[in-house]
């Protein structure tokens, strides 16, 4: 509204021209604007820079003022409210809850921080259940539940990353049991140990793997 007010004070949009050097005025064919800021005349580039708008935005506001006067612009299209394809909060919540429940049923909870991940609340899905499989199970589950709105694979992955970043699919190198994780951690931290202690750690891991 502030910009519209400035435009209304700068625009000459009357039915006739306003030339002081002529005795008679002619019919106006197009509007003309003289830009002022704080009571001083400025050029259009300076006016745009001071207001922080583009030339296209200025023309759109001028056209709106010619047609509607000093009325706020109404958004005709765009935005979440006018986008019929956008997901509702209930639909997003249903997808997020499905991912969390899937992790509760299939994820491996390992104590401590998992090597290769910065978070300490990671829930590891086995490497045999990649995201593609989780998505296929989601589509099948939504179909059985009679949900008419099923998101695409890309949207499913985006919601997963946005709302459930702590649920990850284990890589083959991290798809280990708790004992393997503990032994590997001890081996990684054995730099200051003696050769005998290092050998004992390696033998312990080998005995565990051979069981």
């Amino acid at each position: 509204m502030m910009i519209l007010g400035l435009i209304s004070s700068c625009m000459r949009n009357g039915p006739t021209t306003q030339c002081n050097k002529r005795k008679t005025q002619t019919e106006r064919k197009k509007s003309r604007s003289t830009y002022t800021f704080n009571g001083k005349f400025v050029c259009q580039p300076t006016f745009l820079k001071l207001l922080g708008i583009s030339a296209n935005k200025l023309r759109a506001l001028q056209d709106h003022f010619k047609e509607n006067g000093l009325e706020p612009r109404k958004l005709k299209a765009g935005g979440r409210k006018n986008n019929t394809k956008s997901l509702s909060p209930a639909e997003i919540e249903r997808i997020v809850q499905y991912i969390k429940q899937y992790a509760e049923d299939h994820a491996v909870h390992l104590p401590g921080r998992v090597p290769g991940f910065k978070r300490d609340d990671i829930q590891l899905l086995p490497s045999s259940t990649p995201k593609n499989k989780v998505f296929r199970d989601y589509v099948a589950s939504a179909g059985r539940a009679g949900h008419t709105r099923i998101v695409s694979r890309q949207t499913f992955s985006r919601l997963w990353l946005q709302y459930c970043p702590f649920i990850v699919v284990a890589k083959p190198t991290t798809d280990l049991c708790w004992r393997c994780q503990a032994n590997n951690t001890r081996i990684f931290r054995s730099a200051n140990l003696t050769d005998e202690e290092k050998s004992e750690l390696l033998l312990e891991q080998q005995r565990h793997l051979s069981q």
Side-chain angles (χ1 to χ4, degrees), residues 77-121:
R80 186 176 182 86
K81 293 182 179 179
N82 297 318
N83 187 2
T84 57
K85 295 183 179 180
S86 63
L87 294 173
S88 65
E91 291 171 334
I92 295 176
E93 179 66 20
R94 183 169 61 245
I95 296 171
V96 172
Q97 287 300 325
Y98 176 83
I99 297 173
K100 291 181 178 179
Q101 186 60 44
Y102 195 96
E104 288 293 331
D105 297 338
H106 300 87
V108 178
H109 299 269
L110 297 175
R113 190 176 70 85
V114 179
F117 299 96
K118 295 182 179 180
R119 301 176 61 123
D120 56 359
D121 58 345

Side-chain angles (χ1 to χ4, degrees), residues 106-117 122-128 168-188 205 208-209:
H106 300 87
V108 178
H109 299 269
L110 297 175
R113 190 176 70 85
V114 179
F117 299 96
I122 289 294
Q123 297 183 26
L124 281 177
L125 288 172
S127 57
S128 59
V168 296
V169 178
K171 300 177 182 179
T173 55
T174 59
D175 199 3
L176 306 174
C177 67
W178 178 85
R179 184 65 178 275
C180 289
Q181 294 281 2
N183 289 340
N184 286 342
T185 302
R186 294 171 62 189
I187 293 173
F188 292 153
Q205 179 70 324
H208 170 66
L209 294 175

